[in-house]
Amino acid sequence: MLSPGEITKKISEEYDRKREKARERESTIQFKKRRREKKEQQSNHQKTCEVREGKSYETAVDMNNNICSDDICEIPPPQTEQTCKELIPGVEYAYVSFDLETTGLGNDSEITQIGAAYIHDKSYSQYLLPSKRISTSAIALTGLTVAGSQMYKEGEPVPSTSTSEGLTNFLQWLSSIHKPVVLVAHNARFDANAFCRALITNDMNGDAGKVIQGFVDTLSLFRKERPGLCSYKQTDLVKSFIQTDYNAHDAASDAKALLQLLTSQNFSEHILLQHSFSFDSYISLLHYHEMVQKNSSSLMCLVNNKIISKMIMTRIAKSGLSFSHLLLAYKRDSQHGVLRLLSENTCEGKPRVTSNKKNHWKPLLLH
């Protein structure tokens, strides 16, 4: 039954002032508008999650026995566009010059020869027997042909092995260097593309990532560091800087010549890393491009029927959505499911594809 002290009175008065200010703030139009917007955002987020995750997102889902596979199939969240990342400095890398010969220039080309060179005359060469026909243009350049299970170089038989065994042998050779390896190639994007696709096809990219840290592109390197040259072909660069010729379009000879060329220029590691990209980021980029290509193929029917533009199709595909995902969203919410999915905010706060509320998504799915 004691009366409150001075400190208690001051605290009570402070609480009263704060409550009064809060009541004044909550009575303003701006506060009420913002509260309504937050509730709408929360409701939209909840409904978008229900569209993406289906029945598994609903409450008491374990009590529902009438669930099919489509009900629990999860639509992927917004995907971020992949880019190649430079290698980080401060690591003692082993720079290994590297070259490939392939069956052609397309993304589906297979490796026919791997060549590599490292300091102290350490070199590697291996012919790989492709499963598909070598293109006429590739034969003219490399002289490599296949008859049955035998590979020939300029008409002479050469020992060859399967792609899987050849990649395994190459990774074992790189492991013997006992340092994190960086593969240096002229126009490295082409060689990295063929090499990494072969690793993914043979399910060896995980093992390769333990040995190979990334790639360095000497084409972009020489274009920046040695501007004004008439040609940046490797053969012309070798002629210009080390005044010699070599057996071009042979992977082993190309790799050795590239090593001599780099040694003659004595580029610092800082400069080399400016023209590098990491192995892991490139593998992620290939997976991303494969996803976009598959999604785009499934969405082409909508473009051909003039329901969506190619630009919108590309946005949808890059966000990780295929035509089947749009159908699933429509099945779960025929009125707003597709729009909720396409307008879902990314981690950057931007719409996944578009927030346009025009009613042109319904005919998209009726076809």
Side-chain angles (χ1 to χ4, degrees):
M1 302 300 292
L2 294 175
S3 299
E6 292 298 321
I7 294 178
T8 305
K9 288 181 180 179
K10 288 181 180 179
I11 293 174
S12 179
E13 290 171 358
E14 181 64 25
Y15 283 161
D16 289 341
R17 283 195 296 271
K18 287 182 178 180
R19 279 193 290 269
E20 185 62 30
K21 286 182 179 180
R23 278 195 292 269
E24 291 177 0
R25 185 173 67 254
E26 291 171 4
S27 64
T28 60
I29 297 176
Q30 293 84 353
F31 182 88
K32 292 178 180 179
K33 183 179 179 181
R34 180 57 183 158
R35 183 170 56 188
R36 186 169 61 251
E37 289 174 353
K38 283 185 176 180
K39 285 184 178 180
E40 288 178 1
Q41 288 174 359
Q42 187 175 4
S43 175
N44 288 335
H45 176 72
Q46 176 75 17
K47 290 176 181 177
T48 301
C49 288
E50 290 176 1
V51 169
R52 275 209 299 108
E53 302 186 24
K55 297 287 185 181
S56 61
Y57 202 82
E58 293 182 358
T59 57
V61 65
D62 56 331
M63 304 298 290
N64 189 350
N65 294 321
N66 300 318
I67 297 177
C68 65
S69 59
D70 281 351
D71 292 331
I72 59 174
C73 179
E74 184 175 349
I75 299 172
Q79 303 294 305
T80 55
E81 190 166 354
Q82 298 294 316
T83 57
C84 284
K85 299 176 183 178
E86 289 184 5
L87 290 167
I88 58 172
V91 179
E92 189 179 353
Y93 296 116
Y95 293 93
V96 178
S97 61
F98 161 76
D99 188 60
L100 297 178
E101 303 302 335
T102 61
T103 57
L105 299 177
N107 280 336
D108 59 345
S109 297
E110 295 183 14
I111 302 171
T112 54
Q113 186 188 10
I114 301 176
Y118 187 50
I119 56 176
H120 309 308
D121 297 325
K122 190 177 178 71
S123 61
Y124 181 88
S125 179
Q126 176 78 69
Y127 293 101
L128 307 184
L129 194 65
S131 62
K132 59 177 57 180
R133 186 180 64 85
I134 302 176
S135 68
T136 305
S137 58
I139 293 174
L141 289 174
T142 65
L144 293 173
T145 55
V146 175
S149 59
Q150 179 63 56
M151 181 173 273
Y152 297 86
K153 172 82 170 178
E154 305 294 351
E156 296 293 325
V158 292
S160 59
T161 185
S162 66
T163 299
S164 176
E165 186 177 349
L167 292 172
T168 301
N169 294 340
F170 182 52
L171 293 178
Q172 288 176 349
W173 181 82
L174 292 175
S175 299
S176 67
I177 297 175
H178 301 298
K179 287 183 180 180
V181 171
V182 174
L183 297 175
V184 182
H186 204 66
N187 191 16
R189 289 299 180 103
F190 174 80
D191 296 277
N193 182 62
F195 182 60
C196 291
R197 285 184 183 277
L199 290 171
I200 293 171
T201 300
N202 290 275
D203 196 24
M204 297 172 64
N205 49 298
D207 294 332
K210 299 174 184 177
V211 181
I212 304 168
Q213 298 300 303
F215 302 86
V216 167
D217 184 11
T218 54
L219 178 59
S220 65
L221 170 67
F222 274 88
R223 280 175 173 168
K224 182 177 180 182
E225 300 299 326
R226 302 293 183 265
L229 299 178
C230 296
S231 171
Y232 287 93
K233 291 182 179 179
Q234 183 174 312
T235 51
D236 294 330
L237 292 173
V238 169
K239 276 185 181 179
S240 299
F241 292 107
I242 55 180
Q243 292 79 44
T244 187
D245 290 318
Y246 69 96
N247 183 19
H249 302 297
D250 174 81
S253 299
D254 279 330
K256 290 177 182 178
L258 182 59
L259 178 62
Q260 293 176 345
L261 180 62
L262 276 177
T263 303
S264 70
Q265 299 306 295
N266 197 27
F267 292 117
S268 68
E269 184 174 52
H270 174 71
I271 291 175
L272 288 174
L273 293 182
Q274 288 178 353
H275 301 272
S276 70
F277 50 95
S278 74
F279 178 83
D280 290 339
S281 68
Y282 194 75
I283 291 291
S284 297
L285 182 66
L286 288 182
H287 285 309
Y288 176 76
H289 284 167
E290 183 180 3
M291 176 204 71
V292 173
Q293 187 175 6
K294 286 182 179 179
N295 291 345
S296 297
S297 298
S298 72
L299 294 163
M300 274 305 297
C301 59
L302 303 178
V303 177
N304 294 336
N305 286 290
K306 298 182 180 180
I307 297 170
I308 59 174
S309 66
K310 282 189 175 181
M311 181 184 71
I312 291 295
M313 180 202 72
T314 302
R315 286 185 187 175
I316 295 173
K318 285 184 174 182
S319 76
L321 298 175
S322 66
F323 182 66
S324 62
H325 295 141
L326 300 182
L327 284 174
L328 201 54
Y330 179 73
K331 179 182 177 182
R332 290 171 179 172
D333 183 352
S334 59
Q335 292 296 319
H336 308 289
V338 175
L339 181 58
R340 290 190 193 283
L341 191 62
L342 299 182
S343 61
E344 179 182 12
N345 283 341
T346 65
C347 57
E348 299 173 348
K350 298 179 181 179
R352 179 173 191 153
V353 177
T354 177
S355 57
N356 191 341
K357 295 184 179 180
K358 288 183 180 179
N359 188 24
H360 59 277
W361 297 109
K362 192 169 182 178
L364 177 154
L365 298 168
L366 294 178
H367 282 67

